[in-house]
Amino acid sequence: MPFADARPETSQTEVRRDAQWLEAHWMPFTGNRNFKANPRMITGAQGAYFTDADGRRIFDGLSGLWCSGLGHGRREIAEAVGKAALQLDYAPAFQFGHPAAFALANKIKSLMPEGLSHVFFTGSGSEAADTSLKMARAYWRAKGQGSKTRLIGREKGYHGVNFGGISVGGMAGNRKAFGQGVEADHLPHTQPPLGSFCKGMPQTIAHSDGRALAERLLDIIALHDASNIAAVIVEPMSGSGGVVIPPAGYLQRLREICTQHGILLIFDEVITGFGRVGAMTAAEAFGVTPDILNIAKQVTNGTQPLGACVVTGEIYHSFLAAGGPEYMLEFAHGYTYSAHPVACAAGLAALDLLEQEDGPGRVKAMAPFFEQAVHSLQGAKHVLDIRNIGLAAGLSIAPLPGEPAKRPYEIAMKCWDAGFYVRYGGDTIQLAPPFISEKAEIERLVNALGDALQATD
């Protein structure tokens, strides 16, 4: 594969570790005190590996942050980005367009399930989440049903970090510091009881089938009435929540209920979009088409920030029909960097590569081996449960009393020291190796994780 050279002749930025230099950067989702006492600096990336400041090769066990499945340093994407920056580094996003935006919208449309046909670009998955929620409310207003404003998320759900996203999200740690957000209700999560060790999609959860679990939505509808509910938003597979896969029939029943009661169904596929579960989308993999499908991450292979909401023609044309004079905007929403020309060029190149190399097919072919490998850790020290689908796995770790997040952190740091990057969050360790991973690399990753588990008190 034609990867770019990840080791430039001269570094743009000197690597320093002194406290004064490190202090200026307030790092996101990071224990800043811990990091700045012992910095873990990444200076390069190529293929399935990072390079750290000490020149070590680190296997990328999470595809960046679920976003670089095609591997790092892909020359085709880098060259497309460079060419675009020289030709059109920026174009105004409002009232004017550029060809790459329309080309990428058509490319994305071609990879979506039938019926998802119009693409609204954002700069990230968090922006896509908030955009989809605003779309849902505005859609019903455009249809003359302005009372339909209520939003429904799910426990353990993650929809980015903007106010709408944290409100419908179901991760308390992402909400507790910020006070009241947008009023929202939450469905129960779909994680099986600890010790289930489910492989792929569960058939039942605690003796309840997927359809029955989805019917908890009927309770919320009975409480508020469908005339007041705009949308339900769920991840088909919850990645940041610890790789939580819905049981069989769950998404189908959600779709039926939403259709029956006139409620929009939004899939947040920021993690699952473009290959992670062995299909272009989880909607395709699970056979359920939402009204809005949010994407980001893998759409550019992580090389440029870009997100989008892909919607049905019904939603798009309803906005146009209610738009008044044709010179007036129909949706008072957008971002300075919506459809950024350089990001669009990266997206076109990344999706071309994804198709040429059949990224989803590679995931599907490797998934059984990956499943066997990760489940070999059943019985390992501290492991309470393992869940997997495609090239994604979550391990629930036994907590230390009063410090449920400490062991996952310590395990991840031991993996890093051994040359493997894995994700730790809450009480879980998460794995999502690149689509290009070889079996031997997955074996080494799982063995290193097993060693780290054993070495952790």
Side-chain angles (χ1 to χ4, degrees):
M1 298 178 184
F3 295 99
D5 188 348
R7 297 161 296 178
E9 292 181 8
T10 57
S11 175
Q12 288 185 317
T13 307
E14 177 187 0
V15 177
R16 290 171 51 179
R17 294 183 172 92
D18 57 285
Q20 183 178 2
W21 190 71
L22 294 170
E23 191 64 16
H25 180 198
W26 188 352
M27 300 173 68
F29 270 119
T30 299
N32 279 253
R33 294 162 296 171
N34 175 276
F35 176 90
K36 292 172 183 181
N38 183 25
R40 299 172 293 277
M41 294 287 192
I42 297 170
T43 58
Q46 189 170 25
Y49 294 85
F50 289 120
T51 302
D52 76 358
D54 298 318
R56 297 188 311 140
R57 294 178 80 223
I58 310 290
F59 182 76
D60 182 2
L62 199 81
S63 302
L65 276 173
W66 309 89
C67 55
S68 302
L70 296 171
H72 300 282
R74 296 308 303 262
R75 184 172 298 280
E76 301 91 336
I77 304 174
E79 289 178 349
V81 166
K83 181 179 178 181
L86 287 171
Q87 180 175 337
L88 182 64
D89 60 346
Y90 180 78
F94 309 154
Q95 308 291 4
F96 297 88
H98 60 87
F102 294 90
L104 181 56
N106 278 281
K107 168 63 78 173
I108 292 170
K109 175 182 174 181
S110 74
L111 302 177
M112 292 291 113
E114 185 74 24
L116 293 172
S117 52
H118 294 77
V119 181
F120 189 100
F121 287 109
T122 69
S124 68
S126 291
E127 289 181 359
D130 274 36
T131 296
S132 68
L133 300 176
K134 290 178 70 176
M135 275 181 177
R137 283 185 165 185
Y139 166 76
W140 290 116
R141 185 175 290 270
K143 299 287 284 185
Q145 299 182 60
S147 66
K148 291 174 71 68
T149 60
R150 199 163 195 89
L151 304 167
I152 301 170
R154 188 169 60 191
E155 296 170 358
K156 291 185 178 290
Y158 179 71
H159 303 291
V161 295
N162 293 346
F163 261 102
I166 65 172
S167 300
V168 294
M171 301 175 74
N174 293 341
R175 296 205 309 257
K176 65 181 182 180
F178 308 109
Q180 181 64 46
V182 178
E183 191 173 8
D185 289 81
H186 293 80
L187 291 162
H189 66 74
T190 62
Q191 182 170 321
L194 294 177
S196 299
F197 292 93
C198 289
K199 296 179 178 179
M201 176 177 279
Q203 293 304 304
T204 61
I205 292 180
H207 309 296
S208 178
D209 66 23
R211 293 180 66 85
L213 195 58
E215 286 176 355
R216 295 290 295 275
L217 175 57
L218 294 173
D219 297 334
I220 300 176
I221 293 172
L223 177 65
H224 297 295
D225 196 78
S227 64
N228 296 309
I229 301 173
V232 173
I233 181 169
V234 297
E235 301 158 279
M237 180 274 284
S238 300
S240 296
V243 183
V244 181
I245 302 104
Y250 176 83
L251 294 174
Q252 285 81 359
R253 185 63 181 135
L254 277 187
R255 174 71 279 178
E256 291 168 5
I257 294 170
C258 287
T259 300
Q260 178 185 354
H261 291 273
I263 298 168
L264 295 183
L265 179 60
I266 304 169
F267 277 4
D268 188 328
E269 293 221 31
V270 168
I271 282 176
T272 54
F274 305 114
R276 180 57 57 187
V277 296
M280 278 296 175
T281 61
E284 175 191 339
F286 297 141
V288 180
T289 302
D291 301 293
I292 303 175
L293 191 152
N294 298 341
I295 58 169
K297 293 188 183 290
Q298 188 60 52
V299 68
T300 66
N301 201 47
T303 59
Q304 290 283 295
L306 180 71
C309 300
V310 191
V311 309
T312 62
E314 157 62 22
I315 291 175
Y316 173 76
H317 289 293
S318 293
F319 276 90
L320 268 58
E326 65 176 17
Y327 62 85
M328 293 293 293
L329 57 89
E330 300 94 7
F331 184 35
H333 179 75
Y335 302 96
T336 299
Y337 297 113
S338 291
H340 191 286
V342 180
C344 286
L348 285 164
L351 294 181
D352 281 346
L353 274 178
L354 190 71
E355 286 192 293
Q356 291 166 18
E357 298 179 359
D358 189 16
R362 292 181 69 121
V363 171
K364 191 173 183 178
M366 185 64 77
F369 180 85
F370 178 70
E371 176 177 274
Q372 182 181 25
V374 296
H375 278 275
S376 72
L377 295 173
Q378 182 175 347
K381 188 178 178 183
H382 304 311
V383 174
L384 298 179
D385 199 21
I386 300 172
R387 301 164 298 279
N388 70 283
I389 192 167
L391 283 184
L395 292 83
S396 294
I397 305 301
L400 282 170
E403 294 187 90
K406 186 175 182 181
R407 274 199 185 121
Y409 157 73
E410 292 178 338
I411 292 163
M413 292 304 100
K414 286 179 170 63
C415 287
W416 176 264
D417 291 342
F420 296 87
Y421 160 60
V422 302
R423 177 85 181 276
Y424 65 97
D427 63 350
T428 69
I429 293 289
Q430 300 158 28
L431 305 177
F435 308 162
I436 61 168
S437 301
E438 302 293 339
K439 289 182 178 179
E441 292 171 323
I442 288 174
E443 284 184 335
R444 289 196 293 269
L445 170 65
V446 172
N447 288 339
L449 178 54
D451 291 343
L453 287 161
Q454 184 60 38
T456 300
D457 294 330

